Amino acid sequence: MESEFSKTKGVCYYVVVVIYWGHEYTFGTMKETITYDKISLLRLAFQGLDDDELQEMAELTEFRTYPPEHVLCHEGAYEDVFYIIAEGSVIISKHLGDEEADRVLRIGGRGDMVGEMAMIQNAPRAATVRTSTECTVLEMEKQDFETILSRSPRMAMDIIRITLDRIRSNDKTMIEDLQKSNKVLRQLDRNKLEFIQVAAHELRTPLTVLNGYVKVLKGSSQAGAGSGLEGIVAGIIKGTERIHEIVNMMLDVTRIDADTVKVGAVPISLRLLIDDVAKNIRRDAPERTVEIITDHPQVSPFFTGDPSLIQKALYQLIVNAVKYTPDGGKVTVTTRAVTMEDDTPGVEIAVKDTGIGLDTEHHSLIFEKFYQVGSVDLHSSGKTTYKGGGPGLGLALVKGVARAHGGIAWVESVGHDEEIFPGSTFYLKLPLNSPNT
Ligand code: ADP
């Protein structure tokens, strides 16, 4: 079958050209034909250069043929050749992460230029280019390219302009691609929120019924005091209360995310609120020997906000600190007056632990819904079990509560280490008078 590239040649040269492809031609008309092909190809890649300039470039280029699966450009490597595809096709792909398959950026064919960035900057290859069929390419070395540029500044400017235009158009394609992916991700996130919301509502009704029956059972003579069933009834009540808490957390997260939560505006004493939360956690985790210390300034600030939401956020931060700190460790909660970014007065609450710490790559992701650092196998239904991962909603709630009050939440930790225990400090910074309340 006659190829596209060979269509440009006379029939009598066809066989010879295929056999000697990529070799230096020294004889008469054949050399002219090859030069003509180089020029027509260079014209495709560098539209805007005149014939003399193309001729000058053609002299420094060479045709080569590679088999399928040959790597022309290695992502991350410093390489000095750029290619224009004459025939065949290549796949341009990028490595996105250890656990993800390489992302195909585009498929290149005749007239496409690859590896051109190496011509204008000394940087590693940004993508891998692999031949997907047998491929004939026109190659040029960086040093030859630089020779041309030094000879003709006007041509240098033209080439830089053409190359930048090409890069800009590639960027545009990539941005459009990312915008599309973003739209899909936003929709998936909405679906996830809707699912949590429906699941939480569906669970709440039977849970209320269950609660009612258990309370009746507790009061009855068959299961009440002295019946021998008290322990079992108490266990069922504890279990339903825990499910209730999780269902409520699911609803809080969806409401905050969908901006449908009503944020109260009540003057709150942080000292009282924090001490109360710490007391509850000590009560809920008698088996854990993690000390919880609260340290308030002489004059503890009052601030206006939603006490129930703030209480939930503080609970999550302190309970997490206990959960990810081994027995014998310490959790310290401090508050201090600060100035917000817009110069209004604020308060910063820091929850510092002597626990396992957290690698930087997770610092912002842990505030997303369902994000878990460790394996889900570590999941535990106990609220304060050491390293017992929960449903992954706690910090999403903290972030949402901070946002709903016009504040921010973040974490600082030098990294994860279960021998040295570097610890983590979680911060919640809130304006004294929230703009949203
Ligand atoms: P979970 O229900 O899994 O505790 P969270 O949203 O509360 O969900 O926390 C998300 C992840 O953040 C946890 O799985 C844990 O890996 C990490 N994390 C939270 N608090 C701490 C902490 N104080 N120290 C170390 N890691 C923490």
Side-chain angles (χ1 to χ4, degrees):
M1 197 172 53
E2 199 178 48
S3 64
E4 223 192 300
F5 181 74
S6 59
K7 271 185 219 156
T8 56
K9 296 184 249 320
V11 175
C12 55
Y13 299 121
Y14 176 66
V15 177
V16 188
V17 168
V18 170
I19 294 171
Y20 291 99
W21 197 268
H23 292 251
E24 201 44 58
Y25 296 88
T26 49
F27 40 100
T29 28
M30 193 171 295
K31 183 169 179 183
E32 279 157 25
T33 309
I34 294 296
T35 308
Y36 169 74
D37 286 333
K38 284 182 177 176
I39 288 176
S40 65
L41 206 51
L42 285 167
R43 186 172 286 122
L44 282 179
F46 294 101
Q47 285 162 21
L49 291 192
D50 65 29
D51 286 354
D52 290 344
E53 290 169 332
L54 291 170
Q55 173 76 36
E56 212 176 321
M57 257 187 126
E59 278 161 22
L60 295 167
T61 59
E62 217 177 304
F63 277 120
R64 288 231 160 76
T65 298
Y66 295 100
E69 291 301 309
H70 177 84
V71 178
L72 295 173
C73 302
H74 299 78
E75 184 176 347
Y78 286 82
E79 291 167 335
D80 281 348
V81 186
F82 88 96
Y83 308 87
I84 301 169
I85 317 294
E87 194 174 284
S89 64
V90 294
I91 296 175
I92 302 146
S93 62
K94 195 161 176 58
H95 186 66
L96 293 182
D98 286 344
E99 283 161 30
E100 286 182 59
D102 285 0
R103 165 98 181 266
V104 173
L105 301 179
R106 66 187 169 94
I107 308 284
R110 179 172 165 81
D112 269 322
M113 186 156 40
V114 290
E116 71 270 31
M117 280 307 283
M119 300 297 115
I120 51 175
Q121 65 169 180
N122 195 20
R125 296 281 203 214
T128 292
V129 182
R130 188 187 301 274
T131 57
S132 56
T133 61
E134 186 180 78
C135 225
T136 299
V137 295
L138 192 59
E139 294 186 3
M140 186 176 221
E141 301 268 343
K142 187 176 184 174
Q143 68 192 58
D144 292 329
F145 185 72
E146 280 168 357
T147 311
I148 301 186
L149 298 192
S150 60
R151 263 193 245 145
S152 161
R154 192 187 75 80
M155 187 169 163
M157 284 312 293
D158 279 348
I159 291 176
I160 289 170
R161 182 180 43 74
I162 291 162
T163 312
L164 288 180
D165 276 353
R166 183 182 293 270
I167 291 166
R168 201 174 301 134
S169 120
N170 283 351
D171 277 356
K172 194 166 163 259
T173 316
M174 285 291 287
I175 290 169
E176 281 166 6
D177 208 26
L178 284 175
Q179 279 168 337
K180 271 189 220 144
S181 310
N182 238 343
K183 206 170 154 196
V184 173
L185 286 176
R186 266 203 304 272
Q187 183 56 46
L188 288 177
D189 198 51
R190 267 199 296 273
N191 294 353
K192 197 160 74 178
L193 266 187
E194 275 165 23
F195 171 76
I196 308 173
Q197 207 167 10
V198 171
H201 278 297
E202 289 295 320
L203 285 171
R204 216 153 66 150
T205 315
L207 202 59
T208 312
V209 176
L210 193 65
N211 246 338
Y213 280 125
V214 176
K215 283 192 180 136
V216 172
L217 196 64
K218 191 180 172 195
S220 79
S221 52
Q222 287 102 321
S227 67
L229 293 176
E230 292 156 277
I232 296 173
V233 174
I236 299 175
I237 292 177
K238 199 171 164 210
T240 50
E241 276 169 0
R242 176 73 183 130
I243 305 176
H244 214 97
E245 262 175 46
I246 294 176
V247 165
N248 283 341
M249 201 189 330
M250 285 159 82
L251 285 173
D252 284 337
V253 169
T254 53
R255 284 188 199 128
I256 289 177
D257 253 36
D259 281 331
T260 55
V261 72
K262 270 199 157 42
V263 183
V266 175
I268 301 171
S269 158
L270 272 181
R271 173 195 287 264
L272 289 182
L273 203 59
I274 293 172
D275 287 347
D276 196 43
V277 170
K279 196 172 86 195
N280 288 344
I281 294 175
R282 283 190 207 105
R283 186 202 58 209
D284 288 350
E287 75 291 353
R288 297 298 316 278
T289 53
V290 175
E291 193 185 356
I292 306 174
I293 302 161
T294 55
D295 181 10
H296 307 288
Q298 285 279 310
V299 185
S300 175
F302 263 86
F303 90 109
T304 311
D306 189 308
S308 160
L309 289 178
I310 298 290
Q311 194 245 5
K312 285 175 184 171
L314 290 171
Y315 183 88
Q316 292 306 325
L317 290 179
I318 304 176
V319 97
N320 271 352
V322 170
K323 207 159 62 166
Y324 296 101
T325 300
D327 281 334
K330 206 162 69 179
V331 172
T332 315
V333 189
T334 47
T335 48
R336 67 180 184 110
V338 289
T339 306
M340 304 299 288
E341 275 66 33
D342 60 359
D343 286 338
T344 55
V347 60
E348 185 185 88
I349 304 153
V351 180
K352 181 176 165 55
D353 62 53
T354 57
I356 58 175
L358 196 66
D359 288 333
T360 5
E361 67 197 86
H362 304 296
H363 284 190
S364 59
L365 289 170
I366 50 169
F367 290 93
E368 296 303 320
K369 293 179 289 293
F370 303 118
Y371 187 82
Q372 305 253 317
V373 175
S375 144
V376 271
D377 301 345
L378 292 177
H379 187 271
S380 154
S381 49
K383 266 194 299 196
T384 51
T385 316
Y386 176 46
K387 291 199 294 173
L393 289 172
L395 293 178
L397 183 73
V398 172
K399 181 179 156 189
V401 170
R403 190 167 51 87
H405 284 83
I408 47 167
W410 74 98
V411 60
E412 286 173 9
S413 173
V414 291
H416 174 108
D417 194 316
E418 295 192 25
E419 278 171 15
I420 297 173
F421 295 106
S424 315
T425 307
F426 281 78
Y427 294 92
L428 186 59
K429 188 170 157 186
L430 305 164
L432 284 193
N433 291 300
S434 159
N436 305 337
T437 53

